Amino acid sequence: MPVTSIASSKPDSSQSTVVGERDVHAEKWIKLVQVEYTDPLGKRRTWDAVRRTTTKRDSEADAVCVFATLKRAGAEDEVLLVRQFRPACGTETIELPAGLIDDGESAETSALRELKEECGYVGVVRGKTPAVVLSPGLSDESVVMVEVDVDADAEENKNVSQALEGSEFITVIRCPKSELLSALDAFSASGVRVFAGLYTVAWALARENL
Amino acid sequence: MPVTSIASSKPDSSQSTVVGERDVHAEKWIKLVQVEYTDPLGKRRTWDAVRRTTTKRDSEADAVCVFATLKRAGAEDEVLLVRQFRPACGTETIELPAGLIDDGESAETSALRELKEECGYVGVVRGKTPAVVLSPGLSDESVVMVEVDVDADAEENKNVSQALEGSEFITVIRCPKSELLSALDAFSASGVRVFAGLYTVAWALARENL
């Protein structure tokens, strides 16, 4: 059964092009820009957008999220989550371990570094997604989700310790895989905000008939 | 097996509080703000953040994404996707049908309205997620994902037509559910950017042993 495009009532969006972009206001980490583009009919239009000032042209994405599974002989697999206060949200959040990709770093290297820094664990990369966009109406901000296995029985993972920066206060949570969705629902109900890309994974995993 | 918090090497982030927020620069749709907050040690810190100017205090989220399943007797279920040019990304994207929640609207009403406007289909709500945050380091922007069933054999869904605004050029794609991940990978490989919350659903659905 093929993937089907239903003919639109309008011209195809592949005819659109960016004509230019100007900085409207820049701060240290993020800036507002105005994108000028042509629509498929050739009309010039503008769009307000956000850019991270840290985006690197040669990098595959802005950031990585780490979907790390903690494996231990005779026990259920656990997913590693992080709880932290997010000033941009005004609340604590539950997210996957994550961070910006450093200059020259691959997504895989970045993921293993962030996992070690935020959670203390050493892992092995099992796969990754392409770069996907977090909020396409607002920003080109992109992320690669990296799947990592952590052998909790290995010597190096027995007495783990975080290596946090001065401004970072992160609590690590181990959540049994079968309880991921109910745990995220409980956090949401208590006012802690859950990262969309984490919630949707839990949601899809729990719904066999989705 | 319980959800376990591993004691952090630092104080708990629940001690953090927002002290204030000032507008740094506002455009029509989005603005830059600086959030002032105290960390768990009581130290004052600041954070650059983005706000949508359209956020409504009494609304459950900024926007909805619609995970709509097209059902037809004797055929495989299909997921409805939309392809459009996104100026903020500088490229075409593949996303779920989506849009901002109107004043006084519930997420369910908004989802059915957006599905009808963008894709032409009439559906029935089957469930929804809590409000989840799209990019918690950058913004408090939140979204509810609403699950909708579409009976493609119903009279009202036989000759569908879009109701797009003048600036919208959206192509509707019907993707067999079993091909969702491979279709998104193919789009990514061709330079079209996929929305993270959609990709992660496809990724989780396709990986029984995740």
Side-chain angles (χ1 to χ4, degrees):
Chain A
M1 198 171 179
V3 175
T4 313
S5 283
I6 304 175
S8 173
S9 53
K10 291 193 159 188
D12 189 276
S13 69
S14 65
Q15 302 307 307
S16 283
T17 318
V18 170
V19 178
E21 175 171 318
R22 69 177 184 85
D23 287 6
V24 170
H25 186 95
E27 291 289 320
K28 184 176 176 192
W29 299 101
I30 48 184
K31 63 183 180 181
L32 275 182
V33 301
Q34 191 170 65
V35 180
E36 193 177 354
Y37 69 104
T38 54
D39 75 17
L41 299 172
K43 182 177 162 64
R44 284 206 178 205
R45 297 180 180 273
T46 58
W47 192 275
D48 294 340
V50 177
R51 300 274 176 258
R52 282 191 178 274
T53 58
T54 48
T55 299
K56 294 157 199 82
R57 290 219 162 268
D58 60 344
S59 189
E60 59 190 298
D62 287 296
V64 286
C65 292
V66 189
F67 192 91
T69 304
L70 204 67
K71 293 171 175 291
R72 196 186 304 265
E76 184 184 348
D77 285 354
E78 294 172 308
V79 180
L80 287 176
L81 310 176
V82 292
R83 179 165 62 80
Q84 64 194 304
F85 178 79
R86 285 294 206 174
C89 297
T91 59
E92 286 187 292
T93 61
I94 300 290
E95 302 174 42
L96 294 167
L100 297 177
I101 298 176
D102 281 347
D103 230 349
E105 234 182 7
S106 69
E108 289 89 336
T109 303
S110 178
L112 295 178
R113 176 180 56 72
E114 289 288 350
L115 181 67
K116 176 72 178 157
E117 288 173 8
E118 292 193 353
C119 305
Y121 288 104
V122 175
V124 174
V125 171
R126 191 147 72 98
K128 66 172 183 175
T129 71
V132 290
V133 285
L134 292 175
S135 179
L138 188 74
S139 165
D140 61 353
E141 190 189 15
S142 63
V143 66
V144 170
M145 190 179 294
V146 181
E147 207 180 336
V148 173
D149 282 346
V150 175
D151 176 1
D153 294 322
E155 202 53 47
E156 60 200 2
N157 288 324
K158 279 195 173 149
N159 291 294
V160 299
S161 66
Q162 296 171 302
L164 300 176
E165 289 175 40
S167 62
E168 288 182 319
F169 298 84
I170 294 173
T171 301
V172 180
I173 294 168
R174 299 190 333 232
C175 183
K177 197 165 282 183
S178 63
E179 292 170 36
L180 187 56
L181 186 63
S182 60
L184 298 183
D185 280 333
F187 280 121
S188 289
S190 74
V192 173
R193 289 289 178 128
V194 177
F195 168 53
L198 164 62
Y199 192 93
T200 52
V201 168
W203 192 63
L205 284 177
R207 300 182 78 102
E208 288 170 22
N209 66 340
L210 185 73
Chain B
M1 198 172 178
V3 174
T4 313
S5 283
I6 304 175
S8 173
S9 52
K10 290 196 165 187
D12 188 274
S13 69
S14 65
Q15 302 309 308
S16 282
T17 318
V18 170
V19 177
E21 175 171 318
R22 69 179 185 86
D23 287 5
V24 170
H25 185 95
E27 291 289 320
K28 184 178 178 191
W29 299 101
I30 46 183
K31 63 183 181 181
L32 275 181
V33 301
Q34 191 170 66
V35 180
E36 194 178 350
Y37 70 104
T38 52
D39 75 16
L41 299 173
K43 181 177 162 65
R44 283 204 178 206
R45 297 179 180 273
T46 59
W47 191 276
D48 294 341
V50 177
R51 300 274 176 257
R52 283 190 178 274
T53 58
T54 50
T55 300
K56 295 158 198 84
R57 289 219 163 268
D58 61 344
S59 190
E60 59 191 295
D62 288 296
V64 286
C65 293
V66 188
F67 192 90
T69 305
L70 204 66
K71 293 171 175 293
R72 195 185 306 264
E76 183 184 349
D77 285 354
E78 293 172 310
V79 180
L80 287 175
L81 310 176
V82 292
R83 179 167 61 81
Q84 64 193 306
F85 179 78
R86 285 293 205 173
C89 298
T91 59
E92 285 188 293
T93 60
I94 300 290
E95 302 174 43
L96 295 167
L100 297 178
I101 298 177
D102 281 348
D103 230 348
E105 235 182 5
S106 69
E108 289 89 337
T109 304
S110 179
L112 294 178
R113 177 180 56 72
E114 289 288 350
L115 181 67
K116 176 72 178 155
E117 287 174 9
E118 292 193 354
C119 304
Y121 288 103
V122 175
V124 174
V125 171
R126 191 146 72 98
K128 66 172 183 176
T129 71
V132 290
V133 286
L134 292 175
S135 179
L138 188 72
S139 165
D140 61 355
E141 191 188 16
S142 63
V143 67
V144 170
M145 191 178 292
V146 181
E147 208 180 339
V148 173
D149 282 347
V150 175
D151 176 2
D153 294 322
E155 203 53 46
E156 62 199 4
N157 287 324
K158 279 195 173 150
N159 291 293
V160 300
S161 67
Q162 295 170 302
L164 300 176
E165 290 175 40
S167 61
E168 289 182 318
F169 298 85
I170 294 173
T171 300
V172 181
I173 294 168
R174 299 191 334 232
C175 183
K177 198 164 281 183
S178 64
E179 291 169 36
L180 188 55
L181 186 63
S182 60
L184 298 183
D185 280 334
F187 280 120
S188 289
S190 76
V192 173
R193 288 290 177 129
V194 177
F195 167 54
L198 165 62
Y199 192 92
T200 51
V201 169
W203 192 64
L205 285 176
R207 301 182 77 103
E208 288 170 23
N209 66 339
L210 184 70

